[in-house]
Amino acid sequence: MNPLIRAATAAVLWVRGRLEEGRARGSDRGDISITTVIIWVAAVGGAIAIAATISVIVTKYNGQLTGI
């Protein structure tokens, strides 16, 4: 069997087992607070904005940055 398929199968079985354990306990409902979602959206948005800014600056000054 392909090692990649074997690893993927093992990962799926592990996740399935963890989900079953959580359901058996009844405490792992998978709830996520709206604050966490807002923080993640802000972090991803900020990272995209920073990457876009760096990209624009590098594109604009590409000829002048070659001597650095």
Side-chain angles (χ1 to χ4, degrees):
M1 179 182 275
N2 184 342
L4 185 59
I5 294 173
R6 185 176 304 194
T9 303
V12 168
L13 291 175
W14 179 80
V15 169
R16 183 181 295 164
R18 295 286 294 159
L19 286 172
E20 288 174 2
E21 288 175 13
R23 286 187 187 125
R25 285 194 315 258
S27 62
D28 187 16
R29 299 182 326 205
D31 291 344
I32 185 167
S33 79
I34 191 66
T35 307
T36 304
V37 172
I38 292 170
I39 291 170
W40 273 103
V41 169
V44 170
I48 291 172
I50 291 169
T53 303
I54 291 171
S55 175
V56 167
I57 291 171
V58 168
T59 302
K60 184 175 180 180
Y61 297 105
N62 192 23
Q64 297 172 0
L65 295 174
T66 56
I68 293 179

